Amino acid sequence: MVGRVLELRVHGVSNTPPGQILGLRPAPGADAPAPPWRVAGGPVTGFYRSPTAEPADPLVVEAYSWGRLTSGARTARDVERALWTLLLPFTLANVALHARPSVPADPATERWHSTSGITAWLIRLFCLSLTGTLALTLTAVGVDLVGWQCVDDDCLRRIPGPWQFLGRGWWSEGARSLAVGLLVPLGVLTLLGLVSWRTYQYEAQMPAEPVPPPDAPQPVGTPAHAPQPLGTPADRRERPEADPAAPDPPPGNPLQDRTFWTGEGQLRRGAVLHLCTGVVVAAAVPLGAVLALDPPRGGRAAVAWPTVSALAAVVLVAVVALARPGLTRRAGATPLGGWSVTVAVLTAVGLAGTVLVLLLPDGPAGTPLADLRPTPGCAGQVVAPACPTDRSLPGLDWIVAWLGTGQLLLLIAIGSVARSGRRALAAPAAAVLLLVLGFAWFTGWLPGPPPPAALEFWTVVVPIVALAASGLLLRRVPSPAGRPPPEPRSDLAWGGRAPAVVAGFGWMLCVSYSAGLLYWVTDRLNGGPAPGGRSPVVPPVPVLWAGLVFAGALLVLAATVARAGLLHLRLRRHEYARATARTDDPLSAHDLRRCRDVSTWRALHRLVGEHAVRLVGCYAAASAVLATLGCAALLSRSPPHPTVATGGAAVVEWVSEVGGRLLGWLPVLIATVGLLVYRNDLVRRSFGVVWDVGTFWPRTAHPLAPPSYAERAVPELQTRTAGLLALAEDDPRSVDGIILSGHSQGTVICAAVLLQLPARSRRRIWFFSYGCQFTRLYGRVFPGYFGPERLPVLAGALTPPGGGIRWTNFWRDTDPLGWPVAAGERNLAVRDPEALHPDDGEVADPPIRNHSGYPEAPEFHRERSRVAWLLRRGVPAPRRGAG
């Protein structure tokens, strides 16, 4: 019987159609190739073969298409997926957990007081604060802009729905309109919870074990009449193994954890904590304003203080639970548990108490909240006690300022601990203590002399944050002894601070989204500029600063892009000089033009591999300075410019207005780009890589992030691969071996599958990787999975007893995302283009394929023939050699 080998191809982020993956071409006289044949799976994720493939073919190519999990067909679902991009800040914060340099090989061994445990806890706290930012923004929209400031009939008429009753009668008295405004954050959080609940099916996917033959020992409890797969012969026998199955060694890579891709229970418990915390933040804003200005007495106090205790208990339980193994470890479809039920009950009690307090009339103590509410007609009046410049709900500005400052300090602590260990917590902890003491000093809570009149609190914030940032400059934790020497430019990204950098970009995007939403709602409620330049509804003062900081961030981004462009031009000139100097024969004008085209891609290859990480780090450092100055400005409680600005203040006002306008359209712009990502190949290859890299990782830190496609793709590939290798030898579907062939992001999926497969299956698999990003990107940003200490584990999993590493990596010097991988058996450089000019009667120039078309290269065909011959013969692979 002729042996058969299957090449199973897995595409990358561009969602290559199955027919293109298989290399199908139109028949003579036909306009399009015949559609591929789906042999397994469904319309969303499926396995396809050529319609001309025969069972007796010695080499069969099969394509696994997973792209519709993130970028389906041009249907209405594309709009739904485009809306997922609005949760991109949650995605980046979730990715930060997997960027820790000190991820333990076995997640069960992680302790909360270890470096990795403390970093994970801080990242989860930061993710919880992002949920609080979303809830606070929605509360500012519903409670502040609508329920507090929008008191004119003209303003209320601009809100869709019958909301005019909020401006008059019983609902306009006291804080009752604020209770109605809570419907906005509660409604969005409920919708977000329902969407998250619908996506639990991804985390519920589990690989299926191959069905044993009838004469094999059955597991305990398996009925004798258990159904067999369709088409399985009744008398099939298990294919004899070349050597007895050895037990799997201890895990050396977190991707070997059997529950890594099955975290349904963890996701449910985390979602309960995040949603309940969001409800607490939404309820705390109006409740805090009422209690601070009008302390309750009598029966009102009997409702208010138990409500405060219930809401505080929810936050305390959430902070503690984020460090407990029950939430931090994945264990399949586990129940919610007592903690989750307790948090849900306390949240319901606190929310009910908050609404009741808001509906009760004002008490006799303090300042009634209604006296501070802006009166109708403020837009046409001068500044007066009834029409202050800052008309936000009392206390809202402080909440926003302190939340932003706390998140900045959290990011500094995350980067410090991830780089230098637990000792680096001293600087951020000291900064937090000094910040609290400084605030108490300026507000008169501390005994002693008052601060100097010339000293402002915001001037104290900058050196305090600088003290916290000193933890980022401590020496990096030394590498363990015996670590293999790193390849060129494969060291840790940003000096081990990758979790803080990735989470920081998520924070910047979240703040931009929030400020943009508040700007957009404010403009719609105002209905255009008011007479005299005053508006009836104004956003909180911190939002005005956000527009100014965002404009500065755009300028820094433009400078970074310009720097990258100059580097690319310099590299292009260098590569062009090298290309034209490789031959002594004079080159024609056509060849010189082709050399310029090739040099452009080679320069881009070097720019991404040698400079991209450093450029991103420079932008992150500049953004951190802007964020520090922004937090100091927020704590100053003063607007960025006066109401009537002249001279330099007018320029600041103009820049702030431009930044605010851009912020207002930012969510729409991101959603539009998200829609184009799924419809336009160029946009997808440019921006979709960020999305697909982010949604590859499971939602272990932020449960409200978009679902991970790998939660479904990895189990399906694992089931398909192990099932084909377990077929009996006389089964017409059986194969002698499998070439697992991954392109770009597909190499990452294949690596996760290989580390999940048992050793008996891996012995008959060879790994092809091309367009691979293990060394220059994944290995640097995610060293806990693909760093110099983790890739040898993957190579060892592909090394059978007595043989060499069954891993071949293809790369091109014109591929911006593909580089050599020293851990593999062979590194084969693929020539691109094959020639500078046409030959053999062709009239078109050989294409520059850069990141695509690897299976069409002659080097790929030769290596596949060699590997297929080795897999059919079943002989050990040769020793490691030069590629």
Side-chain angles (χ1 to χ4, degrees):
M1 188 174 188
V2 179
R4 288 181 293 272
V5 173
L6 173 70
E7 182 194 351
L8 182 53
R9 294 180 182 174
V10 183
H11 65 80
V13 300
S14 57
N15 190 22
T16 310
Q20 188 175 341
I21 300 174
L22 297 171
L24 301 183
R25 302 182 183 278
D31 295 333
W37 171 40
R38 191 175 71 214
V39 296
V44 178
T45 57
F47 296 83
Y48 297 85
R49 293 186 184 181
S50 170
T52 60
E54 298 292 341
D57 291 344
L59 179 62
V60 179
V61 180
E62 184 172 297
Y64 174 61
S65 177
W66 57 268
R68 288 195 177 186
L69 293 174
T70 60
S71 55
R74 300 188 179 191
T75 63
R77 292 194 63 188
D78 284 353
V79 178
E80 177 185 347
R81 293 187 182 94
L83 294 177
W84 277 118
T85 58
L86 298 179
L87 298 179
L88 185 58
F90 295 168
T91 301
L92 294 175
N94 181 73
V95 171
L97 183 71
H98 303 282
R100 292 172 296 156
S102 56
V103 179
D106 185 359
T109 62
E110 185 177 82
R111 299 295 179 263
W112 72 268
H113 53 79
S114 63
T115 297
S116 61
I118 293 177
T119 308
W121 180 59
L122 292 174
I123 292 174
R124 288 189 170 96
L125 286 179
F126 176 78
C127 291
L128 193 68
S129 73
L130 286 189
T131 303
T133 301
L134 171 65
L136 184 61
T137 303
L138 298 172
T139 305
V141 171
V143 174
D144 180 30
L145 299 183
V146 176
W148 179 253
Q149 297 189 49
C150 195
V151 295
D152 292 330
D153 287 340
D154 291 339
C155 179
L156 292 171
R157 200 175 294 116
R158 296 187 185 101
I159 306 174
W163 304 108
Q164 285 80 5
F165 69 93
L166 294 177
R168 55 184 178 269
W170 186 80
W171 283 103
S172 64
E173 299 174 359
R176 297 185 182 109
S177 61
L178 305 185
V180 180
L182 280 176
L183 293 176
V184 175
L186 296 180
V188 176
L189 288 173
T190 301
L191 178 62
L192 197 59
L194 291 176
V195 171
S196 179
W197 176 77
R198 285 184 55 193
T199 62
Y200 290 160
Q201 56 180 321
Y202 284 83
E203 281 78 6
Q205 294 287 330
M206 298 190 67
E209 292 291 337
V211 179
D215 58 345
Q218 296 289 335
V220 177
T222 303
H225 58 278
Q228 300 294 323
L230 184 63
T232 302
D235 59 345
R236 78 175 195 179
R237 296 291 185 269
E238 185 74 30
R239 177 176 305 199
E241 297 287 350
D243 49 319
D248 289 338
N253 192 308
L255 292 175
Q256 292 176 298
D257 181 16
R258 297 303 178 190
T259 62
F260 191 87
W261 303 107
T262 55
E264 180 184 5
Q266 182 197 41
L267 187 67
R268 292 178 186 271
R269 295 190 299 271
V272 169
L273 288 181
H274 277 252
L275 292 174
C276 290
T277 303
V279 172
V280 168
V281 171
V285 172
L287 181 63
V290 171
L291 298 183
L293 296 174
D294 188 17
R297 293 182 179 180
R300 201 160 178 255
V303 177
W305 299 122
T307 298
V308 172
S309 301
L311 297 179
V314 172
V315 177
L316 179 61
V317 171
V319 171
V320 175
L322 290 178
R324 289 180 57 84
L327 186 73
T328 60
R329 296 176 189 168
R330 300 169 74 79
T334 53
L336 287 179
W339 285 64
S340 299
V341 175
T342 302
V343 167
V345 172
L346 289 174
T347 303
V349 171
L351 180 60
T354 299
V355 173
L356 183 57
V357 170
L358 295 179
L359 294 180
L360 290 175
D362 290 337
T367 304
L369 202 62
D371 294 347
L372 298 176
R373 188 178 186 183
T375 58
C378 278
Q381 300 181 14
V382 296
V383 177
C387 297
T389 303
D390 181 12
R391 302 172 205 158
S392 298
L393 185 70
L396 181 60
D397 292 350
W398 275 118
I399 295 175
V400 174
W402 281 106
L403 177 61
T405 306
Q407 289 173 327
L408 177 61
L409 293 175
L410 257 180
L411 288 172
I412 293 175
I414 290 170
S416 301
V417 177
R419 172 182 168 85
S420 306
R422 294 175 293 180
R423 58 176 180 167
L425 268 180
V432 171
L433 180 60
L434 290 177
L435 194 64
V436 174
L437 293 177
F439 177 75
W441 183 36
F442 275 84
T443 54
W445 292 355
L446 286 182
L455 186 63
E456 297 288 344
F457 181 57
W458 69 270
T459 61
V460 179
V461 174
V462 174
I464 288 178
V465 176
L467 171 64
S470 64
L472 296 170
L473 305 178
L474 296 178
R475 292 187 60 185
R476 192 165 56 186
V477 174
S479 303
R483 173 178 172 176
E487 300 178 37
R489 295 183 176 86
S490 64
D491 54 330
L492 296 181
W494 310 300
R497 309 178 189 94
V501 173
V502 176
F505 284 127
W507 178 54
M508 292 172 56
L509 200 56
C510 184
V511 172
S512 300
Y513 276 4
S514 301
L517 178 62
L518 291 173
Y519 264 112
W520 187 85
V521 174
T522 301
D523 288 343
R524 298 307 175 272
L525 293 179
N526 286 327
R534 295 177 55 83
S535 302
V537 178
V538 295
V541 171
V543 177
L544 302 178
W545 281 106
L548 190 61
V549 173
F550 183 70
L554 288 181
L555 292 177
V556 175
L557 179 61
T560 305
V561 173
R563 172 61 177 165
L566 293 176
L567 280 174
H568 182 260
L569 290 177
R570 189 186 70 184
L571 294 173
R572 181 184 176 184
R573 288 195 298 267
H574 182 264
E575 291 297 328
Y576 180 74
R578 289 181 54 192
T580 55
R582 288 180 178 177
T583 176
D584 297 332
D585 299 329
L587 295 176
S588 65
H590 177 275
D591 291 344
L592 291 176
R593 178 184 61 81
R594 290 280 287 168
C595 284
R596 284 193 294 269
D597 296 339
V598 174
S599 300
T600 300
W601 286 104
R602 288 177 178 169
L604 187 60
H605 171 83
R606 292 186 56 188
L607 177 68
V608 176
E610 300 175 6
H611 303 281
V613 172
R614 180 173 55 83
L615 289 173
V616 173
C618 293
Y619 179 71
S623 300
V625 175
L626 285 175
T628 302
L629 297 177
C631 289
L634 298 186
L635 292 174
S636 69
R637 301 189 65 188
S638 59
H641 53 80
T643 305
V644 180
T646 58
V651 177
V652 174
E653 180 184 15
W654 180 81
V655 174
S656 178
E657 287 295 327
V658 171
R661 297 290 179 182
L662 295 176
L663 278 174
W665 287 103
L666 181 63
V668 179
L669 175 63
I670 296 295
T672 303
V673 171
L675 182 62
L676 292 177
V677 159
Y678 305 134
R679 292 174 173 262
N680 186 282
D681 290 339
L682 178 61
V683 177
R684 175 153 186 80
R685 290 191 173 111
S686 302
F687 299 97
V689 61
V690 177
W691 181 255
D692 282 352
V693 169
T695 54
F696 167 79
W697 299 102
R699 295 180 281 185
T700 52
H702 206 303
L704 304 183
S708 165
Y709 60 86
E711 299 272 7
R712 180 169 176 179
V714 171
E716 285 187 351
L717 266 172
Q718 184 179 348
T719 301
R720 178 68 174 170
T721 304
L724 290 176
L725 293 175
L727 293 173
E729 189 173 2
D730 55 357
D731 193 301
R733 301 166 300 172
S734 67
V735 293
D736 286 343
I738 292 178
I739 301 175
L740 196 55
S741 178
H743 171 240
S744 189
Q745 185 68 14
T747 62
V748 183
I749 298 175
C750 290
V753 172
L754 290 167
L755 291 171
Q756 289 282 319
L757 285 171
R760 63 179 181 274
S761 298
R762 291 197 303 263
R763 283 198 297 271
R764 294 161 57 193
I765 294 178
W766 199 292
F767 182 29
F768 275 8
S769 59
Y770 37 97
C772 183
Q773 307 140 29
F774 284 166
T775 54
R776 300 295 176 91
L777 293 181
Y778 265 91
R780 302 183 69 181
V781 181
F782 307 106
Y785 302 89
F786 301 100
E789 301 173 20
R790 303 303 192 201
L791 277 184
V793 178
L794 175 60
L798 292 166
T799 306
I805 306 172
R806 297 191 171 190
W807 180 3
T808 303
N809 179 67
F810 303 87
W811 67 284
R812 296 189 181 112
D813 58 4
T814 57
D815 184 354
L817 299 177
W819 297 280
V821 181
E825 167 71 19
R826 291 158 60 85
N827 270 303
L828 293 182
V830 178
R831 186 177 181 182
D832 186 44
E834 297 179 9
L836 292 177
H837 48 265
D839 55 5
D840 297 333
E842 181 60 71
V843 295
D845 287 326
I848 303 174
R849 300 188 183 276
N850 51 79
H851 191 55
S852 60
Y854 277 93
E856 301 175 13
E859 296 88 347
F860 187 93
H861 284 275
R862 288 194 295 267
E863 180 68 8
R864 186 179 63 177
S865 299
R866 184 185 76 91
V867 169
W869 181 78
L870 292 175
L871 290 176
R872 279 195 295 267
R873 288 175 55 88
V875 299
R879 293 292 181 182
R880 183 187 184 91

